[in-house]
């Protein structure tokens, strides 16, 4: 976990405030090569919580070596999540696996990897509820806003995010078109964090971008109920 991420005391009274700052997940892919992403991850890891390798066209061997290189460059394995590939997550010592609808079910993964953090990508309240029932630790829900990373598709919007949060007993991380300026809106609708691809990987200064997101979620945390 990032040293920049800290806990805040629970406030008493009618409004329940979650104790921890919202999470930031950095996602690979888009126009950024895997080699460049590895370097970006080494630079920005102090300012984000989790770093996902989401590389649909890489072999297991390439992904394994990317995780090892990230670790060699100082990224804590506890921050690394491998998309879809349970085998790579286990073999490389990553902390988590992010499952999609086409991936192994969370219920099948859990007994094989009791210590692994299991995320599930979902696109509706029903999918989120089902993922939680299957044992996912959290859901990644999107896309919230229109995003160049999902060209031509309108965002699902904040009301649907709030509906998904209500339907889902595990934390929901919002993804898709999240920028420092709108991060507070998704947190205030109940998201436990944000996931970002182009806003950090496509920035001219990824470290400055990651710091902007960190400031944005830090400012937003008191609004979450
Ligand atoms: C990888 C991904 N999954 C999504 C989903 O809706 O499940 S949206 C998305 C891309 C997010 O990219 P950006 O931060 O550049 O908008």
């Amino acid at each position: 976990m990032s040293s920049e991420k800290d806990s805040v005391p629970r406030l008493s009274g009618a409004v329940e405030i979650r104790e921890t700052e919202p999470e930031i997940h950095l996602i690979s892919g888009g126009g950024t090569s895997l080699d460049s992403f590895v370097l970006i991850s080494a630079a920005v890891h102090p300012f984000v919580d989790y770093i996902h390798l989401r590389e649909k066209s890489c072999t297991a061997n390439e992904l394994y070596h990317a995780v090892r290189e990230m670790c060699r460059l100082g990224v804590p394995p506890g921050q690394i999540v491998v998309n879809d590939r349970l085998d790579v997550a286990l073999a490389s010592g990553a902390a988590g696996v992010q499952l999609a609808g086409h991936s192994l079910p969370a219920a099948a993964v859990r007994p094989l990897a009791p210590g692994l953090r299991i995320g599930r990508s979902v696109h509706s309240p029903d999918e989120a509820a089902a993922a939680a029932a299957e044992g996912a630790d959290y859901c990644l829900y999107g896309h919230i806003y229109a995003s160049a990373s999902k060209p031509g598709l309108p965002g699902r919007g904040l009301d649907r995010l709030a509906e998904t949060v209500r339907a889902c007993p595990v934390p929901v991380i919002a993804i898709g078109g999240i920028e420092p300026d709108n991060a507070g809106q998704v947190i205030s609708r109940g998201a436990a964090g944000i996931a970002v691809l182009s806003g950090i990987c496509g920035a001219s200064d990824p470290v400055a971008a990651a710091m902007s997101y960190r400031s944005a979620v830090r400012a937003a945390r008191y609004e979450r109920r």
Side-chain angles (χ1 to χ4, degrees), residues 2-190:
S2 160
S3 58
E4 287 287 309
K5 184 170 187 279
D6 56 358
S7 290
V8 293
R10 177 177 289 273
L11 304 181
S12 58
V15 178
E16 184 187 317
I17 307 289
R18 293 187 200 178
E19 289 179 20
T20 52
E21 190 169 304
E23 294 173 359
I24 302 177
H25 295 233
L26 172 64
I27 314 288
S28 79
T32 305
S33 71
L34 182 55
D35 286 349
S36 299
F37 184 78
V38 167
L39 297 177
I40 289 171
S41 74
V44 307
H45 79 83
F47 308 104
V48 303
D49 297 290
Y50 294 99
I51 298 176
H52 295 228
L53 281 175
R54 181 177 177 274
E55 299 292 331
K56 297 188 172 182
S57 56
C58 283
T59 64
N61 187 276
E62 288 165 336
L63 283 172
Y64 172 82
H65 285 292
V67 174
R68 298 316 304 162
E69 182 64 2
M70 286 164 70
C71 293
R72 194 184 69 78
L73 294 174
V75 180
Q79 284 185 262
I80 302 175
V81 178
V82 178
N83 192 279
D84 189 37
R85 298 296 303 256
L86 174 64
D87 53 350
V88 177
L90 289 173
S92 65
V97 65
Q98 181 68 34
L99 303 171
H102 60 259
S103 304
L104 290 170
V109 170
R110 180 66 73 201
L112 297 174
L116 209 62
R117 194 165 190 250
I118 301 175
R120 175 68 157 82
S121 299
V122 299
H123 302 99
S124 70
D126 285 352
E127 271 186 22
E134 269 206 359
D137 292 308
Y138 67 95
C139 289
L140 212 59
Y141 168 79
H143 52 289
I144 310 297
Y145 302 103
S147 162
S149 303
K150 293 270 175 180
L153 298 172
R156 296 177 202 276
L158 291 171
D159 288 345
R160 194 76 168 150
L161 166 65
E163 215 182 302
T164 301
V165 169
R166 282 195 297 275
C168 185
V170 297
V172 174
I173 308 296
I175 187 168
I178 311 287
E179 296 174 0
D181 284 354
N182 61 28
Q185 293 172 0
V186 300
I187 302 303
S188 69
R189 299 306 291 270

